[in-house]
Amino acid sequence: MNSIDLIKESEKAEGTVLDLLIKNGCSNEDLLNVSSMLQTIYMCGFEVGKRCVVE
C-alpha cells in the first residue's frame, strides 16, 4: 500500500466511525472529540508507519 492509499483508507475509516456515531445520536461535542482522537491516532500511526510504506 502506498502513502496516498493509506491516507484514503484512514479517511474512509474515520467517516465510517463518525457515520455510526451520528446514526446512534451522539452529540456534536462527542463527534468532535472522536474526530480529534481519530486524527491523533492516525497521525501517530502514520509517523511511526511511514518508514514501512512505499511511496
Side-chain angles (χ1 to χ4, degrees):
M1 177 179 294
N2 62 43
S3 57
I4 293 172
D5 290 339
L6 182 62
I7 291 168
K8 288 179 183 177
E9 184 174 313
S10 177
E11 289 172 345
K12 182 179 176 183
E14 180 180 0
T16 300
V17 169
L18 293 177
D19 285 345
L20 287 170
L21 294 175
I22 291 167
K23 288 178 184 176
N24 287 297
C26 288
S27 69
N28 284 340
E29 183 180 349
D30 288 338
L31 294 174
L32 289 172
N33 287 335
V34 169
S35 181
S36 178
M37 285 187 282
L38 289 171
Q39 289 174 7
T40 301
I41 291 167
Y42 163 72
M43 290 306 296
C44 291
F46 186 76
E47 286 300 316
V48 170
K50 69 183 178 182
R51 293 181 301 256
C52 304
V53 177
V54 177
E55 293 193 41

